[in-house]
Amino acid sequence: MIDQRIRQADEQVKSTQAIANESGKSSAGDKYETTREVLQQEINRYLNQKQEALKLKKALTVINPQKSSDNIDHGSLVTTNAGTYFLAVSLGNVLVNNFNYMVISVGSPLGQQLIGREAGDTFTFNNRAFHIENIQ
């Protein structure tokens, strides 16, 4: 998903740059300059999106899938009565082999509630009771 975000940002930059290159200077100089500025802002926005995606990708590389722990930590797969959560980066709902996983950041409000807890723990978040069933 992150690689797809990176590719899309690259494609958008190329497409927008091509539009900017095609828009030749006309007699309406102010209009030309305004168009160029808007297109440059678009390019900058896509470059920022790419940088954010690269940061997410880097954050995923530090997760050791072989690591096992009794306490929830970055990289843990946590099964609760309210769903299954993977603590990594904020990607939202991800479907893998017809099973939904909520991929969340450890810095998210729910991630903060999960960190350090153990199987069997219970807690309340947003007026909802959570019971931690399993940690992988």
Side-chain angles (χ1 to χ4, degrees):
M1 289 175 70
I2 294 172
D3 286 339
Q4 182 180 5
R5 287 183 187 180
I6 293 168
R7 281 191 304 274
Q8 286 174 338
D10 282 338
E11 290 169 7
Q12 292 294 339
V13 167
K14 287 178 189 175
S15 173
T16 307
Q17 187 62 55
I19 293 168
N21 292 342
E22 290 174 8
S23 65
K25 190 161 186 156
S26 67
S27 59
D30 288 344
K31 182 179 177 185
Y32 168 79
E33 293 301 325
T34 301
T35 301
R36 297 280 294 180
E37 178 59 28
V38 168
L39 291 171
Q40 186 58 51
Q41 289 175 7
E42 284 287 306
I43 290 170
N44 291 342
R45 185 170 57 86
Y46 295 130
L47 289 172
N48 286 337
Q49 289 174 358
K50 180 180 179 180
Q51 286 300 332
E52 288 303 312
L54 288 169
K55 286 178 188 176
L56 292 176
K57 187 172 182 175
K58 184 176 180 179
L60 286 176
T61 63
V62 300
I63 294 174
N64 180 357
Q66 310 308 327
K67 180 184 166 191
S68 180
S69 175
D70 292 334
N71 294 0
I72 299 172
D73 197 5
H74 190 250
S76 293
L77 183 65
V78 182
T79 304
T80 73
N81 62 310
T84 302
Y85 300 88
F86 180 54
L87 274 73
V89 296
S90 293
L91 289 179
N93 197 28
V94 176
L95 184 66
V96 179
N97 295 330
N98 293 320
F99 193 81
N100 284 317
Y101 297 90
M102 183 60 71
V103 183
I104 63 173
S105 159
V106 293
S108 69
L110 181 56
Q112 295 266 317
Q113 289 291 319
L114 289 168
I115 288 292
R117 295 192 185 268
E118 300 176 346
D121 285 356
T122 59
F123 65 97
T124 301
F125 178 73
N126 283 346
N127 295 320
R128 184 172 188 181
F130 283 75
H131 174 74
I132 300 169
E133 298 168 358
N134 189 24
I135 303 168
Q136 297 177 0

